Protein backbone atom coordinates (compact mmCIF):
# COMPACT_ATOMS: atom_id res chain seq x y z
CA UNK A 1 0.00 0.00 0.00
CA UNK A 2 1.29 3.46 -0.90
CA UNK A 3 2.12 5.64 2.05
CA UNK A 4 3.51 9.03 2.92
CA UNK A 5 5.77 10.20 5.69
CA UNK A 6 4.25 12.32 8.44
CA UNK A 7 5.06 13.28 11.99
CA UNK A 8 3.14 13.00 15.25
CA UNK A 9 1.98 16.49 16.06
CA UNK A 10 2.63 16.02 19.79
CA UNK A 11 5.76 13.88 20.34
CA UNK A 12 7.35 14.38 16.90
CA UNK A 13 7.74 10.70 16.00
CA UNK A 14 7.93 10.03 12.25
CA UNK A 15 5.15 7.76 11.02
CA UNK A 16 4.27 6.12 7.68
CA UNK A 17 0.63 6.91 6.90
CA UNK A 18 -1.42 5.28 4.11
CA UNK A 19 -2.25 7.65 1.28
CA UNK A 20 -5.75 9.01 1.72
CA UNK A 21 -5.80 8.51 5.49
CA UNK A 22 -7.21 11.46 7.40
CA UNK A 23 -5.91 10.49 10.84
CA UNK A 24 -3.21 8.26 12.28
CA UNK A 25 -2.52 7.13 15.84
CA UNK A 26 1.04 7.52 17.06
CA UNK A 27 2.50 4.16 18.22
CA UNK A 28 4.65 5.98 20.79
CA UNK A 29 2.29 8.39 22.57
CA UNK A 30 -1.11 7.16 21.32
CA UNK A 31 -2.21 10.66 20.32
CA UNK A 32 -4.23 11.19 17.15
CA UNK A 33 -2.77 13.33 14.36
CA UNK A 34 -4.98 14.85 11.67
CA UNK A 35 -3.53 14.28 8.18
CA UNK A 36 -5.75 16.43 6.01
CA UNK A 37 -3.93 19.10 3.99
CA UNK A 38 -2.78 22.17 5.87
CA UNK A 39 -5.63 24.57 6.47
CA UNK A 40 -5.85 28.06 5.10
CA UNK A 41 -5.55 29.88 8.41
CA UNK A 42 -6.68 33.19 6.99
CA UNK A 43 -3.19 34.70 6.99
CA UNK A 44 -3.60 36.40 3.64
CA UNK A 45 -4.04 39.74 5.36
CA UNK A 46 -1.84 39.02 8.35
CA UNK A 47 1.39 41.04 8.30
CA UNK A 48 4.66 39.22 7.73
CA UNK A 49 8.24 40.38 7.64
CA UNK A 50 7.91 41.16 3.94
CA UNK A 51 4.63 42.99 3.72
CA UNK A 52 2.91 46.00 5.20
CA UNK A 53 0.60 45.95 8.16
CA UNK A 54 -2.90 44.92 7.24
CA UNK A 55 -5.34 47.84 7.53
CA UNK A 56 -7.64 45.65 9.61
CA UNK A 57 -5.02 44.67 12.19
CA UNK A 58 -5.77 46.28 15.56
CA UNK A 59 -3.16 48.91 16.31
CA UNK A 60 -1.04 48.21 19.37
CA UNK A 61 0.12 51.25 21.37
CA UNK A 62 3.11 53.18 20.11
CA UNK A 63 5.34 51.89 22.88
CA UNK A 64 6.94 48.43 22.73
CA UNK A 65 6.04 45.57 25.02
CA UNK A 66 3.05 43.35 25.64
CA UNK A 67 0.61 46.21 25.24
CA UNK A 68 -2.63 46.38 23.36
CA UNK A 69 -5.75 48.54 23.32
CA UNK A 70 -8.98 48.25 25.26
CA UNK A 71 -11.09 46.67 22.54
CA UNK A 72 -14.42 47.76 23.95
CA UNK A 73 -16.23 47.25 20.66
CA UNK A 74 -15.18 43.61 20.36
CA UNK A 75 -18.05 41.15 20.15
CA UNK A 76 -17.26 37.70 21.59
CA UNK A 77 -17.71 34.76 19.23
CA UNK A 78 -19.78 31.71 20.05
CA UNK A 79 -17.67 28.86 21.39
CA UNK A 80 -18.79 25.30 20.76
CA UNK A 81 -16.87 22.94 23.09
CA UNK A 82 -18.11 19.95 21.09
CA UNK A 83 -16.55 21.14 17.84
CA UNK A 84 -14.63 18.29 16.15
CA UNK A 85 -11.75 20.71 15.60
CA UNK A 86 -11.34 20.90 19.38
CA UNK A 87 -12.08 17.34 20.43
CA UNK A 88 -9.86 15.47 17.96
CA UNK A 89 -6.84 15.22 20.30
CA UNK A 90 -6.33 12.56 22.95
CA UNK A 91 -3.74 12.96 25.71
CA UNK A 92 -0.63 10.84 25.10
CA UNK A 93 -0.47 7.64 27.09
CA UNK A 94 3.02 8.62 28.27
CA UNK A 95 1.94 11.86 29.89
CA UNK A 96 2.42 10.52 33.42
CA UNK A 97 1.41 12.87 36.18
CA UNK A 98 2.73 16.06 34.53
CA UNK A 99 1.52 17.81 31.39
CA UNK A 100 2.01 21.32 29.97
CA UNK A 101 0.94 23.62 27.13
CA UNK A 102 3.38 26.45 26.35
CA UNK A 103 2.30 29.16 23.91
CA UNK A 104 4.55 32.00 22.74
CA UNK A 105 3.58 34.46 19.99
CA UNK A 106 5.79 37.22 18.53
CA UNK A 107 3.39 38.54 15.81
CA UNK A 108 6.20 38.74 13.30
CA UNK A 109 5.99 41.55 10.78
CA UNK A 110 3.82 43.77 12.93
CA UNK A 111 5.45 47.06 14.05
CA UNK A 112 4.68 46.13 17.65
CA UNK A 113 5.88 42.56 17.44
CA UNK A 114 7.31 40.98 20.58
CA UNK A 115 10.91 39.85 20.81
CA UNK A 116 10.93 37.65 23.89
CA UNK A 117 7.90 35.37 23.60
CA UNK A 118 9.58 32.39 21.95
CA UNK A 119 12.58 32.77 24.26
CA UNK A 120 10.13 32.57 27.16
CA UNK A 121 8.61 29.34 25.91
CA UNK A 122 11.97 27.69 25.23
CA UNK A 123 13.17 28.64 28.71
CA UNK A 124 9.97 27.31 30.28
CA UNK A 125 10.18 24.04 28.37
CA UNK A 126 13.78 23.49 29.48
CA UNK A 127 12.86 24.29 33.07
CA UNK A 128 9.85 21.98 33.17
CA UNK A 129 11.61 19.05 31.48
CA UNK A 130 15.13 19.32 32.92
CA UNK A 131 14.38 20.69 36.38
CA UNK A 132 10.86 19.58 37.25
CA UNK A 133 10.73 16.22 35.49
CA UNK A 134 7.97 16.84 32.95
CA UNK A 135 8.12 14.21 30.16
CA UNK A 136 9.28 15.91 26.96
CA UNK A 137 6.45 14.28 24.99
CA UNK A 138 3.95 15.78 27.44
CA UNK A 139 5.02 19.39 26.90
CA UNK A 140 3.15 20.82 23.90
CA UNK A 141 4.74 23.95 22.43
CA UNK A 142 2.92 26.39 20.13
CA UNK A 143 5.07 29.09 18.49
CA UNK A 144 5.63 30.59 15.06
CA UNK A 145 8.84 28.55 14.79
CA UNK A 146 7.02 25.22 14.84
CA UNK A 147 7.08 23.29 11.57
CA UNK A 148 3.93 21.34 12.36
CA UNK A 149 0.90 23.41 11.22
CA UNK A 150 -1.09 22.08 14.19
CA UNK A 151 1.41 23.69 16.57
CA UNK A 152 1.24 27.11 14.97
CA UNK A 153 -0.42 29.38 17.58
CA UNK A 154 -3.71 29.95 15.78
CA UNK A 155 -6.97 30.25 17.65
CA UNK A 156 -8.14 26.76 16.74
CA UNK A 157 -4.78 25.21 17.65
CA UNK A 158 -4.62 26.96 21.02
CA UNK A 159 -8.17 25.85 21.79
CA UNK A 160 -7.33 22.28 20.84
CA UNK A 161 -4.17 22.29 22.97
CA UNK A 162 -6.08 23.60 26.00
CA UNK A 163 -8.65 20.83 25.63
CA UNK A 164 -5.80 18.31 25.39
CA UNK A 165 -4.25 19.68 28.58
CA UNK A 166 -7.17 18.61 30.78
CA UNK A 167 -8.43 15.54 28.93
CA UNK A 168 -8.05 12.44 31.06
CA UNK A 169 -6.89 14.50 34.03
CA UNK A 170 -6.76 12.46 37.26
CA UNK A 171 -6.07 13.12 40.95
CA UNK A 172 -2.37 13.77 41.45
CA UNK A 173 -1.83 15.28 38.00
CA UNK A 174 0.09 18.56 37.67
CA UNK A 175 -0.84 20.74 34.70
CA UNK A 176 0.84 23.92 33.45
CA UNK A 177 -0.39 26.52 30.97
CA UNK A 178 2.20 29.13 30.05
CA UNK A 179 1.33 32.00 27.71
CA UNK A 180 3.65 34.72 26.46
CA UNK A 181 2.16 37.15 23.95
CA UNK A 182 -0.23 40.04 23.60
CA UNK A 183 -3.26 40.37 25.84
CA UNK A 184 -6.23 42.73 25.69
CA UNK A 185 -9.19 43.87 27.76
CA UNK A 186 -12.63 43.74 26.18
CA UNK A 187 -16.01 44.83 27.48
CA UNK A 188 -17.68 42.21 29.66
CA UNK A 189 -21.04 41.21 28.19
CA UNK A 190 -22.25 38.72 30.81
CA UNK A 191 -21.78 40.75 33.99
CA UNK A 192 -19.27 38.47 35.73
CA UNK A 193 -16.33 40.91 35.94
CA UNK A 194 -15.91 43.38 38.81
CA UNK A 195 -14.12 45.91 36.59
CA UNK A 196 -16.51 45.44 33.65
CA UNK A 197 -13.88 43.93 31.36
CA UNK A 198 -12.91 40.42 30.28
CA UNK A 199 -9.27 39.64 29.71
CA UNK A 200 -8.20 37.82 26.55
CA UNK A 201 -5.22 36.39 24.69
CA UNK A 202 -4.47 37.20 21.06
CA UNK A 203 -3.75 34.20 18.82
CA UNK A 204 -1.55 34.85 15.81
CA UNK A 205 -4.67 34.96 13.62
CA UNK A 206 -6.87 37.02 15.93
CA UNK A 207 -7.39 39.61 13.20
CA UNK A 208 -9.64 37.18 11.37
CA UNK A 209 -10.57 34.63 14.06
CA UNK A 210 -10.86 36.81 17.17
CA UNK A 211 -9.45 36.62 20.67
CA UNK A 212 -9.85 33.91 23.32
CA UNK A 213 -11.64 35.34 26.35
CA UNK A 214 -10.87 34.46 29.95
CA UNK A 215 -14.42 33.07 30.23
CA UNK A 216 -13.55 30.40 27.69
CA UNK A 217 -10.13 29.70 29.20
CA UNK A 218 -11.74 29.18 32.60
CA UNK A 219 -14.42 26.92 31.16
CA UNK A 220 -11.85 24.83 29.27
CA UNK A 221 -9.00 24.24 31.73
CA UNK A 222 -10.22 25.37 35.18
CA UNK A 223 -13.72 23.98 35.69
CA UNK A 224 -12.91 20.36 34.66
CA UNK A 225 -10.07 19.97 37.22
CA UNK A 226 -10.90 16.98 39.45
CA UNK A 227 -10.12 16.81 43.15
CA UNK A 228 -6.42 16.16 43.72
CA UNK A 229 -5.29 17.73 40.43
CA UNK A 230 -3.42 21.04 40.21
CA UNK A 231 -3.20 23.60 37.43
CA UNK A 232 -0.66 26.43 37.33
CA UNK A 233 -1.07 29.23 34.83
CA UNK A 234 2.03 31.35 34.17
CA UNK A 235 0.68 34.28 32.18
CA UNK A 236 3.19 36.77 30.72
CA UNK A 237 1.04 39.41 29.07
CA UNK A 238 -0.63 42.75 29.69
CA UNK A 239 -3.90 43.05 31.67
CA UNK A 240 -3.38 39.57 33.11
CA UNK A 241 -4.25 39.82 36.81
CA UNK A 242 -7.42 37.73 36.47
CA UNK A 243 -6.51 36.01 33.21
CA UNK A 244 -7.85 32.58 34.23
CA UNK A 245 -10.99 34.17 35.71
CA UNK A 246 -10.36 32.57 39.10
CA UNK A 247 -12.60 33.47 42.06
CA UNK A 248 -9.93 34.94 44.37
CA UNK A 249 -7.19 37.50 43.77
CA UNK A 250 -4.40 37.97 46.32
CA UNK A 251 -3.29 41.48 47.27
CA UNK A 252 0.10 41.72 48.99
CA UNK A 253 2.16 44.70 50.10
CA UNK A 254 5.94 45.02 50.31
CA UNK A 255 5.94 43.94 53.94
CA UNK A 256 4.29 40.65 53.00
CA UNK A 257 0.84 41.34 54.44
CA UNK A 258 -1.84 39.92 52.17
CA UNK A 259 -5.58 39.66 51.73
CA UNK A 260 -7.82 37.88 49.25
CA UNK A 261 -10.31 39.74 47.07
CA UNK A 262 -13.46 37.82 46.22
CA UNK A 263 -14.17 38.26 42.49
CA UNK A 264 -17.30 36.15 42.43
CA UNK A 265 -20.28 38.18 41.27
CA UNK A 266 -22.96 35.82 39.98
CA UNK A 267 -21.46 32.36 39.80
CA UNK A 268 -18.55 30.32 41.13
CA UNK A 269 -15.82 29.96 38.52
CA UNK A 270 -13.75 27.44 40.41
CA UNK A 271 -12.86 23.84 39.68
CA UNK A 272 -14.43 20.41 39.99
CA UNK A 273 -12.53 19.88 43.24
CA UNK A 274 -8.95 20.52 42.10
CA UNK A 275 -6.92 23.67 42.64
CA UNK A 276 -6.02 26.24 39.99
CA UNK A 277 -3.43 28.95 40.60
CA UNK A 278 -2.49 31.73 38.21
CA UNK A 279 0.76 33.69 38.42
CA UNK A 280 0.52 36.63 36.05
CA UNK A 281 2.73 39.46 34.90
CA UNK A 282 0.68 42.40 36.14
CA UNK A 283 -2.68 43.68 37.34
CA UNK A 284 -5.68 43.88 35.02
CA UNK A 285 -5.03 47.57 34.30
CA UNK A 286 -1.23 47.32 33.91
CA UNK A 287 1.17 46.66 31.04
CA UNK A 288 3.96 44.12 30.99
CA UNK A 289 6.98 44.04 28.74
CA UNK A 290 10.05 42.34 27.36
CA UNK A 291 13.39 43.27 28.88
CA UNK A 292 17.09 42.62 28.27
CA UNK A 293 17.93 43.60 31.84
CA UNK A 294 18.24 40.02 33.08
CA UNK A 295 20.27 38.23 30.41
CA UNK A 296 21.11 40.67 27.61
CA UNK A 297 18.57 39.08 25.26
CA UNK A 298 14.82 39.75 25.20
CA UNK A 299 12.73 37.84 27.69
CA UNK A 300 9.46 38.40 29.49
CA UNK A 301 10.08 39.83 32.96
CA UNK A 302 7.49 37.55 34.54
CA UNK A 303 8.72 34.35 32.90
CA UNK A 304 12.36 34.96 33.71
CA UNK A 305 11.78 36.02 37.33
CA UNK A 306 9.47 33.04 37.87
CA UNK A 307 12.02 30.49 36.61
CA UNK A 308 14.94 32.12 38.41
CA UNK A 309 13.15 32.23 41.73
CA UNK A 310 12.17 28.56 41.57
CA UNK A 311 15.69 27.56 40.59
CA UNK A 312 17.44 29.64 43.24
CA UNK A 313 15.26 29.08 46.30
CA UNK A 314 14.27 25.90 48.08
CA UNK A 315 11.19 25.30 50.25
CA UNK A 316 9.48 28.15 48.43
CA UNK A 317 6.05 29.41 49.49
CA UNK A 318 3.70 31.25 47.16
CA UNK A 319 4.18 34.39 49.22
CA UNK A 320 7.96 34.20 48.91
CA UNK A 321 7.66 33.47 45.18
CA UNK A 322 5.48 36.53 44.62
CA UNK A 323 7.69 38.84 46.66
CA UNK A 324 10.89 37.60 45.04
CA UNK A 325 9.51 38.08 41.55
CA UNK A 326 8.34 41.58 42.44
CA UNK A 327 11.83 42.45 43.71
CA UNK A 328 13.54 41.11 40.57
CA UNK A 329 11.21 43.03 38.27
CA UNK A 330 11.56 46.24 40.27
CA UNK A 331 15.35 45.95 40.01
CA UNK A 332 15.06 45.48 36.25
CA UNK A 333 12.84 48.56 36.01
CA UNK A 334 15.38 50.62 37.91
CA UNK A 335 18.24 49.34 35.75
CA UNK A 336 17.94 48.89 32.01
CA UNK A 337 14.17 49.00 32.28
CA UNK A 338 11.33 47.15 30.66
CA UNK A 339 11.57 48.42 27.09
CA UNK A 340 12.37 51.88 28.41
CA UNK A 341 9.07 51.99 30.29
CA UNK A 342 8.71 53.65 33.66
CA UNK A 343 5.36 52.06 34.39
CA UNK A 344 4.97 49.74 37.35
CA UNK A 345 4.60 46.03 36.63
CA UNK A 346 3.48 44.02 39.64
CA UNK A 347 3.12 40.21 39.38
CA UNK A 348 -0.24 38.90 40.59
CA UNK A 349 -1.48 35.70 42.21
CA UNK A 350 -5.03 34.40 41.84
CA UNK A 351 -6.51 31.09 42.87
CA UNK A 352 -9.60 28.89 42.89
CA UNK A 353 -9.41 28.85 46.68
CA UNK A 354 -8.03 30.99 49.49
CA UNK A 355 -4.98 29.87 51.48
CA UNK A 356 -2.10 31.22 53.58
CA UNK A 357 0.40 32.22 50.91
CA UNK A 358 3.24 32.23 53.46
CA UNK A 359 2.74 28.61 54.48
CA UNK A 360 1.55 26.86 51.33
CA UNK A 361 4.54 25.50 49.40
CA UNK A 362 4.92 25.83 45.63
CA UNK A 363 4.47 22.40 44.04
CA UNK A 364 4.47 22.10 40.25
Amino acid sequence: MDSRRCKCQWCGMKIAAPNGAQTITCPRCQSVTQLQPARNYGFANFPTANNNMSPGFPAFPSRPGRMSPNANNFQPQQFNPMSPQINNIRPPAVHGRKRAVLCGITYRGHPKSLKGSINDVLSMRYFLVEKLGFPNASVVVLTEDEKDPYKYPTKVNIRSALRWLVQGCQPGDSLVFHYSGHGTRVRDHDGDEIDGHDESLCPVDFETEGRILDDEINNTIVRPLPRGATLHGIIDTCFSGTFLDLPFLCRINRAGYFMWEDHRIRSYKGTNGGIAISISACDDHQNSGDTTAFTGFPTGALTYSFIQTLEQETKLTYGRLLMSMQKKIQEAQKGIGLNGENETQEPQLSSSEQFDIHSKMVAI
Side-chain angles (χ1 to χ4, degrees):
M1 179 183 295
D2 293 338
S3 63
R4 55 174 170 152
R5 299 287 290 177
C6 62
K7 186 172 69 172
C8 174
Q9 67 191 73
W10 300 112
C11 73
M13 181 179 181
K14 294 182 179 179
I15 312 170
N19 285 339
Q22 293 187 350
T23 63
I24 191 167
T25 301
C26 176
R28 176 197 288 169
C29 69
Q30 300 302 307
S31 63
V32 178
T33 296
Q34 297 290 317
L35 299 179
Q36 55 261 46
R39 298 186 183 93
N40 178 358
Y41 291 119
F43 296 151
N45 295 321
F46 193 85
T48 65
N50 297 318
N51 66 11
N52 296 323
M53 183 178 68
S54 166
F57 196 93
F60 290 113
S62 58
R63 297 169 295 181
R66 289 172 170 77
M67 294 169 285
S68 49
N70 291 347
N72 287 332
N73 60 347
F74 174 71
Q75 296 296 322
Q77 296 181 337
Q78 291 293 322
F79 170 57
N80 178 11
M82 299 308 295
S83 167
Q85 290 180 312
I86 296 171
N87 287 290
N88 57 14
I89 302 300
R90 288 188 295 158
V94 298
H95 78 274
R97 311 303 293 270
K98 297 174 180 283
R99 188 152 78 239
V101 168
L102 316 179
C103 180
I105 312 175
T106 62
Y107 312 91
R108 288 172 179 162
H110 188 270
K112 303 308 171 189
S113 62
L114 301 174
K115 296 180 179 180
S117 297
I118 293 179
N119 292 336
D120 290 344
V121 164
L122 296 179
S123 297
M124 187 62 71
R125 178 172 62 182
Y126 176 84
F127 175 67
L128 293 178
V129 172
E130 300 298 330
K131 304 297 183 179
L132 297 186
F134 278 63
N136 191 57
S138 297
V139 178
V140 172
V141 172
L142 297 95
T143 72
E144 290 129 304
D145 281 350
E146 295 299 311
K147 305 296 184 182
D148 188 333
Y150 289 93
K151 293 184 181 179
Y152 204 75
T154 62
K155 185 175 184 178
V156 68
N157 285 346
I158 295 172
R159 279 177 161 177
S160 185
L162 292 177
R163 296 287 295 184
W164 170 86
L165 182 64
V166 295
Q167 282 181 348
C169 183
Q170 301 174 6
D173 285 359
S174 176
L175 313 180
V176 171
F177 171 50
H178 173 229
Y179 174 73
S180 179
H182 276 305
T184 63
R185 302 174 76 204
V186 301
R187 182 174 297 150
D188 172 35
H189 290 274
D190 57 8
D192 65 347
E193 296 281 353
I194 289 179
D195 63 359
H197 291 87
D198 283 310
E199 287 65 51
S200 67
L201 66 80
C202 297
V204 72
D205 59 346
F206 78 94
E207 176 193 21
T208 57
E209 301 303 318
R211 301 157 178 81
I212 300 179
L213 299 186
D214 56 358
D215 292 337
E216 178 181 330
I217 297 171
N218 178 278
N219 187 63
T220 303
I221 64 175
V222 173
R223 296 193 185 189
L225 281 178
R227 185 172 302 278
T230 303
L231 166 71
H232 283 89
I234 299 97
I235 311 300
D236 206 341
T237 186
C238 294
F239 316 123
S240 53
T242 59
F243 197 84
L244 294 190
D245 226 2
L246 298 176
F248 305 105
L249 178 66
C250 182
R251 297 295 188 187
I252 182 172
N253 63 18
R254 294 184 180 182
Y257 294 102
F258 73 94
M259 62 177 293
W260 290 97
E261 287 182 359
D262 191 336
H263 280 238
R264 295 172 296 179
I265 293 182
R266 296 188 310 166
S267 60
Y268 176 65
K269 289 195 171 184
T271 69
N272 191 29
I275 182 169
I277 294 173
S278 176
I279 299 163
S280 55
C282 57
D283 209 340
D284 282 343
H285 65 279
Q286 294 176 335
N287 293 314
S288 66
D290 294 330
T291 182
T292 59
F294 295 115
T295 63
F297 62 86
T299 184
L302 183 279
T303 299
Y304 185 85
S305 63
F306 173 81
I307 293 173
Q308 284 296 298
T309 301
L310 285 174
E311 286 187 331
Q312 294 171 357
E313 303 192 30
T314 58
K315 297 182 179 179
L316 193 65
T317 66
Y318 285 96
R320 178 59 189 163
L321 171 64
L322 197 62
M323 295 179 70
S324 178
M325 290 191 301
Q326 287 177 344
K327 182 178 179 181
K328 286 180 170 61
I329 292 175
Q330 288 169 2
E331 290 173 350
Q333 289 175 315
K334 292 178 181 178
I336 298 176
L338 300 178
N339 291 311
E341 298 294 336
N342 294 318
E343 298 180 16
T344 300
Q345 177 182 335
E346 300 174 340
Q348 303 291 310
L349 174 71
S350 59
S351 175
S352 58
E353 62 184 45
Q354 303 179 64
F355 55 86
D356 182 353
I357 66 172
H358 294 305
S359 62
K360 188 175 180 64
M361 307 301 293
V362 178
I364 299 178

